[in-house]
Amino acid sequence: METIQKKTDPDTSEMVLVQAAKKGDLEAFSQLVKLYDRNVFRIAQHITHNEEDAQDVVQEAFLKAYTNLEQFQGNSKFYTWLVRIAVNEALMKLRKRRTSKTVSLDEDVETEEGAMPREVADWSPNPEQLYGQTELGDILKKTIQGLPPGFRTVFVLRDVEGLSTEETAESLGLSVPAVKSRLLRARLQLRERLGKFFNSRKSGDGKQ
Amino acid sequence: MKCTEFLKELTDYLDGTTSATLRAELDEHMHWCRDCRVVLNTTKQTIEIYRDNQIYELPERLRIQLHQAIMARCKSKKEGKRSDAAE
């Protein structure tokens, strides 16, 4: 049996697990699934907007990773490699649902929306407290779902899941400047849209 | 510095990847420009709100089911490979 190092630096323990899994240690792969299943599920939900699809993506992504583990060279982190597989699976699901429209990461990214801020009112001191937890969740979901896939995916990987700009670029097969410009637009569009709910003018009456 | 120039650097500023010189220029601009100050602060809040309120959590029961399904499929893949090799 391979021994798995515990409580080491996450990159080292990830590498140890990957090496063991490559040699056929299923328990090591099971640990990798437990490390990243929540992240993969969140990313898949953000892209597909559908819980069933997201569950399928989690299964397919890990199975593909397992099947192709020998091809993983270790030049990047296992997580970055896994995210790339998951993003592709999720985009495929999205394409199936929207048969009339092709879906790609380049879709709608030419939009001018959010390029120049129109709303410059400040927000309430504690915008999150204007709404209950469920209502806030609905606002955040609706707002991010309105973004084109190419923007929201970059935002989710970079700002929600905390990948670096370089890792985001690698996961999506985009250049670093492309990630940066999409991230800026995604952040500005979200800001503009959330402003409708969080402007300080609204703090008196709570919801509209 | 114009507001459009400020805006172009917004992402690097928020990520702390601008040079010290550029950062000082951006700070100087913000000192005088209320609009850019508001845009910066509300953009920062946008990121924090999404980071602090995970809207899609994997429910624990579903997580266990998924984990079992994944491992069962991996196991049968592994056994399939082994029997291929034995033949």
Side-chain angles (χ1 to χ4, degrees):
Chain A
M1 264 308 248
E2 304 268 346
T3 47
I4 307 300
Q5 276 175 268
K6 277 178 193 151
K7 295 254 171 201
T8 44
D9 137 48
D11 290 354
T12 322
S13 60
E14 183 191 274
M15 248 165 52
V16 173
L17 288 171
V18 171
Q19 288 309 327
K22 271 191 175 183
K23 287 180 193 150
D25 184 348
L26 262 182
E27 181 48 36
F29 191 75
S30 162
Q31 295 291 327
L32 286 169
V33 175
K34 282 182 191 159
L35 264 180
Y36 298 125
D37 55 356
R38 290 193 179 96
N39 308 70
V40 172
F41 179 77
R42 280 200 295 261
I43 294 166
Q45 269 272 24
H46 270 294
I47 297 177
T48 63
H49 301 156
N50 180 295
E51 194 178 275
E52 243 174 79
D53 282 350
Q55 290 180 33
D56 286 350
V57 170
V58 174
Q59 284 206 41
E60 294 305 326
F62 279 110
L63 194 69
K64 261 200 179 146
Y66 182 76
T67 316
N68 298 304
L69 208 52
E70 278 169 29
Q71 287 165 31
F72 173 67
Q73 299 294 328
N75 299 329
S76 58
K77 277 195 210 161
F78 171 77
Y79 179 52
T80 316
W81 183 69
L82 176 69
V83 167
R84 186 171 188 150
I85 298 173
V87 168
N88 285 332
E89 289 291 322
L91 286 174
M92 254 177 350
K93 287 277 176 200
L94 200 56
R95 271 177 216 126
K96 274 186 196 159
R97 294 251 173 212
R98 296 205 271 168
T99 41
S100 57
K101 246 175 131 187
T102 51
V103 178
S104 82
L105 285 176
D106 294 323
E107 185 192 320
D108 296 339
V109 292
E110 296 308 320
T111 165
E112 284 303 308
E113 191 199 331
M116 266 318 279
R118 276 174 296 170
E119 181 65 75
V120 282
D122 211 346
W123 289 5
S124 316
N126 294 302
E128 289 155 272
Q129 285 165 18
L130 293 176
Y131 302 93
Q133 196 59 41
T134 319
E135 209 178 348
L136 177 69
D138 288 343
I139 290 170
L140 296 179
K141 268 183 211 169
K142 217 165 61 188
T143 305
I144 198 166
Q145 283 177 4
L147 247 55
F151 283 176
R152 65 170 188 262
T153 309
V154 168
F155 180 82
V156 167
L157 296 189
R158 180 69 188 75
D159 282 339
V160 182
E161 296 301 328
L163 270 73
S164 70
T165 306
E166 288 73 18
E167 287 165 351
T168 305
E170 201 186 318
S171 293
L172 301 178
L174 293 169
S175 69
V176 167
V179 167
K180 279 192 177 179
S181 95
R182 283 169 199 214
L183 184 62
L184 173 65
R185 302 287 290 280
R187 285 169 167 178
L188 289 176
Q189 282 191 21
L190 284 176
R191 185 204 77 91
E192 194 90 30
R193 291 171 187 212
L194 284 185
K196 289 180 200 137
F197 299 98
F198 296 147
N199 274 348
S200 50
R201 288 197 298 268
K202 302 225 166 65
S203 58
D205 54 3
K207 30 211 133 143
Q208 302 191 66
Chain B
M1 178 178 279
K2 286 184 194 151
C3 294
T4 46
E5 293 172 273
F6 177 88
L7 212 58
K8 264 188 212 149
E9 303 299 335
L10 185 67
T11 271
D12 281 340
Y13 184 94
L14 285 169
D15 295 343
T17 51
T18 45
S19 67
T21 334
L22 183 56
R23 193 168 188 90
E25 282 177 46
L26 294 166
D27 284 335
E28 170 74 12
H29 175 83
M30 252 195 304
H31 183 74
W32 300 107
C33 180
R34 179 202 163 269
D35 283 0
C36 283
R37 205 160 58 229
V38 168
V39 169
L40 178 102
N41 287 332
T42 49
T43 307
K44 203 169 150 197
Q45 279 178 289
T46 299
I47 298 165
E48 285 164 0
I49 285 179
Y50 274 99
R51 197 169 287 165
D52 298 343
N53 298 276
Q54 291 293 354
I55 46 180
Y56 296 122
E57 284 300 359
L58 179 55
E60 200 51 34
R61 251 184 65 194
L62 182 59
R63 189 180 180 218
I64 295 167
Q65 284 171 7
L66 277 175
H67 188 261
Q68 284 170 346
I70 292 165
M71 293 320 294
R73 289 175 73 185
C74 289
K75 201 172 167 215
S76 72
K77 266 258 157 54
K78 189 182 170 186
E79 279 158 6
K81 261 191 209 166
R82 205 183 286 152
S83 66
D84 282 352
E87 274 166 22

